């Protein structure tokens, strides 16, 4: 997945993992179309340079400008971004003003996760929009194709080991074979 601050950049290339939709998780909750959302970031984003860049790009993408024409004048959901193990964890929550268990009780604020949820692994951050000099490259990222290739290579190594053992067994069998005797049944009665 790409995220970019257009037209001048920066842009982030990310790998999306663990996507869970509302239907899969059977989440209840709903936020209105066009409502403003609060974009919340973990403190860990301010500790690294690439974290600050990601925070700026996501604020540009997901934040609603104060004077946006089509947005509603109230806030009813929160988008949270957390940074853990150099991965960005995304969650979407709805702000509930009343407790559904006590509809006539005192006004209480609570958060209900409404989905979707997913994890983003940053691969590279480029200086321009979708191109340019590489500002950050994640050395820990292993592409899914490389992981599949390693699994296939390990299976191939098992096959080579098995065939090597079979060839050793057949060569040992040849070494243990006795020469044919002159008084063998096949020579005496032929």
């Amino acid at each position: 997945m790409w995220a970019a601050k257009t037209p001048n950049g920066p842009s982030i290339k990310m790998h999306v993992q663990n996507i869970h939709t509302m239907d899969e998780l059977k989440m209840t909750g709903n936020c209105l179309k066009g409502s403003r959302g609060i974009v919340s970031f973990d403190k860990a984003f301010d500790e690294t340079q690439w974290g600050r860049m990601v925070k700026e790009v996501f604020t540009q993408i997901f934040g609603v400008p104060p004077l946006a024409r089509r947005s509603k004048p109230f806030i009813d959901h929160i988008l949270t971004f957390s940074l853990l193990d150099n991965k960005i964890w995304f969650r979407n929550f709805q702000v509930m003003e009343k407790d559904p268990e006590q509809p006539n009780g005192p006004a209480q604020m609570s958060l209900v996760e409404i989905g979707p949820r997913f994890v983003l692994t940053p691969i590279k951050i480029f200086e321009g929009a979708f191109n340019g000099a590489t500002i950050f490259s994640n050395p820990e990222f292993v592409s899914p194709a490389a992981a599949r290739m390693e699994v296939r290579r390990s299976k191939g190594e098992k096959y080579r080991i098995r065939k090597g053992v079979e060839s050793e067994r057949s060569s040992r069998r040849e070494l243990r074979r006795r020469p044919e005797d002159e008084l063998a049944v096949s020579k005496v009665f032929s």
Side-chain angles (χ1 to χ4, degrees):
M1 181 175 101
W2 283 88
K5 187 175 178 182
T6 56
N8 299 325
S11 58
I12 308 163
K13 183 179 180 181
M14 295 173 284
H15 178 68
V16 183
Q17 298 172 308
N18 301 337
I19 301 172
H20 300 289
T21 61
M22 287 175 51
D23 294 335
E24 288 176 3
L25 300 173
K26 297 188 175 30
M27 293 180 177
T28 59
N30 189 10
C31 58
L32 296 174
K33 181 180 177 183
S35 64
R36 294 181 186 275
I38 296 174
V39 182
S40 170
F41 290 94
D42 190 14
K43 289 181 185 177
F45 278 96
D46 295 327
E47 295 173 0
T48 60
Q49 180 183 5
W50 69 270
R52 288 188 293 273
M53 292 181 124
V54 168
K55 182 177 177 179
E56 178 62 32
V57 170
F58 283 173
T59 303
Q60 174 78 22
I61 293 171
F62 293 106
V64 179
L67 300 174
R69 286 183 14 214
R70 293 187 178 158
S71 67
K72 306 289 188 276
F74 52 86
I75 296 170
D76 70 343
H77 66 280
I78 298 175
L79 304 175
T80 61
F81 294 94
S82 303
L83 192 62
L84 183 66
D85 298 332
N86 288 336
K87 296 178 189 286
I88 302 165
W89 297 69
F90 174 83
R91 300 286 186 269
N92 187 10
F93 295 98
Q94 177 185 0
V95 177
M96 300 285 289
E97 291 188 21
K98 290 187 178 180
D99 190 8
E101 296 172 2
Q102 299 176 354
N104 295 329
Q108 296 177 351
M109 300 287 269
S110 64
L111 296 177
V112 176
E113 187 173 1
I114 58 173
R117 71 166 76 149
F118 52 87
V119 179
L120 301 171
T121 304
I123 302 170
K124 287 189 178 187
I125 299 177
F126 297 100
E127 188 176 358
F130 304 107
N131 62 7
T134 302
I135 298 172
F136 169 77
S137 180
N138 190 352
E140 298 173 2
F141 177 72
V142 177
S143 70
R148 286 191 303 269
M149 185 176 67
E150 189 60 37
V151 169
R152 286 185 189 140
R153 186 175 291 137
S154 67
K155 286 182 181 177
E157 188 63 31
K158 287 180 185 178
Y159 178 76
R160 278 193 286 279
I161 290 171
R162 189 174 72 233
K163 287 300 179 183
V165 168
E166 286 178 7
S167 65
E168 286 179 22
R169 187 182 315 132
S170 63
S171 64
R172 281 187 302 214
R173 204 178 277 153
E174 290 296 322
L175 290 174
R176 281 191 244 138
R177 183 177 286 170
R178 293 188 211 167
E180 196 169 328
D181 191 12
E182 292 179 12
L183 297 174
V185 175
S186 60
K187 286 193 172 185
V188 171
F189 295 107
S190 58

